[in-house]
Amino acid sequence: MKVLSILASPKKNGNTAALLNSFLKGAEDEGNVILDEIFLTSKNIHPCTACDYCQKNDIGKCIIKDDMQEIYNQIKEADAIIFATPVYWWNMSSYLKIFIDRLYAVMTDENNPPLKGKKAALLMTYGGELPNSGPEIVERSIRESSDYLGMNVQCVLGICSSKPVSSNKEALSKAYELGKQIRL
């Protein structure tokens, strides 16, 4: 199984990364998993311009020439995609939002979604204790986007990072166990 992780935090070693790393360790410990990781802030990804080139001219190919061209191939090869984002201002990070917008280029046939059958997971960290509508908003957005693309969201984990996630054994354990289940 090939697992593609998308780290959408500006911090490569922050709370969201700690949660993601524990999830990936769980997936890896189950065996026979190939991990492919993308740190979005290190990529040159431009916003979608809504030109519809991908839908009208060269179906499934974005006219914007940036790092998404390589990432589209990684997405096609993956069996599971793991989205990991901090919650900022009641929503996903801007890095993840730009990435999600650019997935429009792979949607060429609503009756035959291009990512049909791929598994997805969402990991979030946030500063405000629950109740907090931010994680709910992010989850709904990812679930609806994934559904539109034909992916099945298998698990969602949101952790309040009022204390560092790297020292939150309960959060790391939850992420690890969910990672072990991504193959199911």
Side-chain angles (χ1 to χ4, degrees):
M1 167 180 244
K2 190 161 191 175
V3 175
L4 175 63
S5 68
I6 310 292
L7 178 57
S9 170
K11 297 178 181 176
K12 196 170 191 173
N13 297 306
N15 288 316
T16 307
L19 198 63
L20 176 61
N21 289 337
S22 186
F23 181 97
L24 295 176
K25 177 76 172 129
E28 196 172 43
D29 284 354
E30 281 299 294
N32 204 20
V33 170
I34 299 168
L35 298 178
D36 195 4
E37 302 175 54
I38 296 173
F39 180 49
L40 282 182
T41 61
S42 71
K43 298 296 184 181
N44 177 29
I45 302 174
H46 297 279
C48 178
T49 62
C51 69
D52 261 356
Y53 178 89
C54 61
Q55 303 299 308
K56 296 177 183 172
N57 296 303
D58 200 358
I59 301 297
K61 298 206 183 206
C62 183
I63 197 168
I64 301 170
K65 303 304 178 212
D66 60 9
D67 290 342
M68 278 303 288
Q69 304 309 314
E70 174 188 331
I71 293 171
Y72 289 136
N73 290 328
Q74 291 174 281
I75 291 168
K76 287 177 192 172
E77 293 173 4
D79 299 303
I81 300 172
I82 316 307
F83 301 102
T85 184
V87 176
Y88 291 153
W89 285 93
W90 298 274
N91 217 317
M92 66 186 76
S93 73
S94 59
Y95 305 104
L96 186 56
K97 178 62 172 118
I98 288 173
F99 175 81
I100 296 290
D101 287 351
R102 292 291 298 283
L103 291 181
Y104 179 62
V106 303
M107 191 60 191
T108 58
D109 181 357
E110 286 186 43
N111 297 318
N112 188 21
L115 305 182
K116 187 174 185 175
K118 292 188 187 292
K119 298 171 183 177
L122 171 62
L123 306 174
M124 300 173 283
T125 57
Y126 46 87
E129 296 282 344
L130 295 176
N132 174 346
S133 61
E136 294 170 21
I137 292 167
V138 175
E139 179 178 350
R140 183 173 177 191
S141 181
I142 293 296
R143 283 191 183 278
E144 291 191 19
S145 298
S146 294
D147 185 54
Y148 180 72
L149 292 166
M151 293 189 297
N152 177 27
V153 177
Q154 288 201 302
C155 58
V156 175
L157 178 61
I159 298 295
C160 180
S161 55
S162 56
K163 70 177 183 178
V165 171
S166 60
S167 63
N168 184 336
K169 291 181 182 182
E170 182 182 345
L172 295 174
S173 177
K174 283 180 184 178
Y176 179 85
E177 290 303 318
L178 287 175
K180 287 171 54 175
Q181 297 173 22
I182 195 64
R183 307 171 52 104
L184 304 177

